[in-house]
């Protein structure tokens, strides 16, 4: 980890903090000084589910940026949202870098919200969807699924059992459209859902899956969102950075920096595309560096070198 030059709205506060750290260690305040353990502004643990690629992408973006600010960053990969929220509320995890806390994960916030700090939203207009392949010309609305379960083997292909998308589909959308008596929501993992989707498309078979936006798969697969005239998949929401309670007091420079991150569709799409694409497969940190090279002005205060 090396300290870097700071730009934008964070330059003053972060530079002051780094200067104080430098004086307490060896008196060298230059940006090129070799870091020591005492130089660190603290360790921040980021918890995320790698299969949920919005969180995967923003986790590695934050790792890059927080290290440039002078923090140590630990990456904690989890497989269940329930474990993530429990760890966040209990302080085992300092941050969840992409929470659907307004609608999709509202139930977790009701349970754990008193011990969680909202650090700001980085993306607006996120939505949950049901989707089918584009070649299914006669299925364009969730209403069209009614009475056609045999075409889909009676299955809607979902993701992780603890996902908010799973709960919304199973407890709201399926009952409201009268699908719960015909269909089973099959849950396993995001990767398994995508594998099934790919197999069905390859053989041009009928399939309906649970999806969401933003998500790279919407551009990678020839699929279409089903219209939702009853609004049963929930209202659009923002994607938030959540911290354990007291995060901004323990890490004030990080909290100030994080609050300024706002990504539009183009910037977010490019980030997720690089992190999940073939060019940087297995190297999400390299993908973030490539994204920074092309999106140096994505939001105020971004640290590019």
């Amino acid at each position: 980890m090396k300290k870097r030059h700071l730009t934008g709205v964070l330059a003053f506060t972060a530079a002051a903090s780094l200067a104080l750290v430098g004086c307490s260690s060896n008196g060298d305040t230059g940006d090129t000084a070799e870091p020591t353990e005492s130089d660190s502004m603290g360790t921040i643990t980021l918890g995320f589910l790698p299969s949920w690629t919005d969180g995967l992408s923003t986790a590695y973006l934050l790792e890059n940026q927080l290290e440039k600010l002078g923090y140590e960053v630990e990456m904690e990969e989890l497989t269940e949202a329930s474990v993530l929220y429990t760890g966040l509320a209990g302080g085992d995890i300092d941050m969840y870098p992409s929470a659907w806390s307004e609608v999709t994960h509202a139930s977790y916030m009701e349970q754990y919200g008193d011990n969680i700090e909202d650090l700001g939203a980085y993306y607006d207009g996120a939505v949950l969807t049901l989707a089918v392949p584009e070649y299914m010309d006669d299925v364009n609305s969730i209403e069209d699924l009614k009475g056609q379960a045999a075409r889909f083997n009676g299955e809607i292909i979902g993701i992780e059992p603890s996902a908010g998308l799973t709960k919304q589909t199973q407890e709201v959308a399926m009952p409201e459209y009268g699908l719960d008596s015909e269909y089973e929501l099959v849950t396993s993992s995001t990767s398994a859902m995508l594998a099934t989707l790919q197999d069905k498309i390859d053989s041009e078979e009928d399939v309906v899956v649970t999806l969401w936006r933003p998500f790279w798969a919407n551009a990678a697969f020839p699929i279409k969102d089903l219209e939702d005239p009853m609004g049963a998949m929930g209202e659009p929401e923002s994607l938030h950075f959540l911290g354990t309670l007291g995060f901004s007091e323990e890490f004030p420079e990080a909290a100030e920096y994080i609050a300024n991150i706002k990504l539009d569709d183009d910037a977010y799409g490019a980030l997720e595309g690089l992190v999940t694409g073939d060019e940087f497969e297995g190297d999400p940190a390299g993908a973030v560096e490539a994204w920074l090279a092309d999106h140096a002005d994505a939001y105020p205060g971004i640290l590019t070198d």
Side-chain angles (χ1 to χ4, degrees), residues 2-215:
K2 293 182 179 180
K3 297 173 187 174
R4 305 301 180 97
H5 292 287
L6 304 178
T7 61
V9 298
L10 294 172
F12 176 77
T13 53
S17 299
L18 291 173
L20 290 172
V21 172
C23 290
S24 66
S25 54
N26 56 15
D28 182 359
T29 58
D31 290 331
T32 57
E34 288 298 321
T36 66
E37 185 174 348
S38 62
D39 285 332
S40 174
M41 296 168 67
T43 300
I44 296 176
T45 302
L46 302 179
F48 61 101
L49 281 66
S51 60
W52 294 2
T53 51
D54 54 298
L56 174 71
S57 302
T58 50
Y60 278 94
L61 173 61
L62 286 182
E63 179 194 45
N64 179 294
Q65 296 292 282
L66 294 176
E67 286 186 346
K68 287 174 179 173
L69 277 175
Y71 292 95
E72 301 283 348
V73 177
E74 294 183 351
M75 306 290 269
E76 187 73 29
E77 296 187 1
L78 303 169
T79 58
E80 290 289 340
S82 57
V83 176
L84 198 158
Y85 275 93
T86 300
L88 186 65
D92 298 315
I93 295 167
D94 295 310
M95 269 200 68
Y96 178 14
S98 186
W100 298 55
S101 53
E102 297 176 3
V103 179
T104 308
H105 290 162
S107 61
Y108 289 124
M109 293 303 290
E110 291 175 3
Q111 184 174 359
Y112 299 111
D114 289 345
N115 293 310
I116 290 174
E117 181 178 353
D118 192 339
L119 302 174
Y122 73 89
Y123 181 92
D124 295 322
V127 293
L128 304 179
T129 65
L130 293 182
V132 300
E134 291 177 345
Y135 53 75
M136 296 185 65
D137 295 333
D138 62 332
V139 180
N140 296 295
S141 167
I142 299 176
E143 292 178 316
D144 295 334
L145 298 175
K146 179 71 173 175
Q148 301 206 66
R151 294 178 57 180
F152 300 91
N153 196 33
E155 296 179 339
I156 296 173
I157 307 301
I159 58 173
E160 288 79 1
S162 68
L165 173 58
T166 298
K167 181 180 179 67
Q168 187 73 21
T169 303
Q170 199 162 37
E171 298 184 8
V172 181
M174 292 177 68
E176 288 199 14
Y177 284 98
L179 305 178
D180 50 339
S181 61
E182 298 181 40
Y183 292 83
E184 174 190 1
L185 179 60
V186 179
T187 60
S188 55
S189 67
T190 299
S191 58
M193 178 275 290
L194 292 175
T196 300
L197 178 61
Q198 183 67 70
D199 288 344
K200 295 292 186 180
I201 289 175
D202 287 345
S203 56
E204 291 199 11
E205 295 180 42
D206 294 339
V207 64
V208 55
V209 300
T210 62
L211 274 178
W212 61 93
R213 293 179 183 272
F215 187 34

Side-chain angles (χ1 to χ4, degrees), residues 219-287:
F221 293 89
I223 52 178
K224 59 184 179 183
D225 294 345
L226 294 181
E227 296 173 7
D228 180 13
M230 300 177 71
M233 295 302 289
E235 295 295 321
E237 60 185 310
S238 298
L239 303 186
H240 291 250
F241 295 119
L242 298 182
T244 192
L245 190 63
F247 180 94
S248 60
E249 293 183 10
E250 185 173 1
F251 309 110
E253 292 84 4
E256 181 182 351
Y257 177 84
I258 289 164
N260 282 287
I261 300 176
K262 309 292 179 187
L263 299 178
D264 60 22
D265 279 325
D266 288 342
Y268 174 83
L271 174 63
E272 190 180 49
L274 285 171
V275 170
T276 61
D278 294 336
E279 183 179 0
F280 291 95
E281 184 176 2
D283 183 19

